[in-house]
Amino acid sequence: MTVTGPPPGTVWMADHPLILAVPAFVPALIIAGVVGFIVVRDRRAERAENEEAAAQDDLAAANDREEGRGRPGKPDEGDS
């Protein structure tokens, strides 16, 4: 028995290894996308949190200056 190629005019729609690989890559791409989304969201939240903390520190320092109190461990600007 001899093995022959496909009959003339045969068009291959997909190769079997490609069909077998797609189910492995799709979940991996979904997981990578979810991880990327979480990383971006956490970095944005951390940036906003740091900006809020800096604004609160600035506000506390301004209130201390208005009330004539210096920061602990630092002399007041008016004391010389």
Side-chain angles (χ1 to χ4, degrees), residues 58-72:
D58 291 344
L59 180 62
N63 287 339
D64 287 347
R65 283 193 300 271
E66 283 183 11
E67 294 174 1
R69 294 190 313 244
R71 301 295 276 173

Side-chain angles (χ1 to χ4, degrees), residues 23-43:
F25 282 110
V26 171
L29 292 175
I30 291 172
I31 290 171
V34 169
V35 169
F37 172 77
I38 291 171
V39 166
V40 169
R41 184 185 64 183
D42 286 348
R43 287 186 180 179

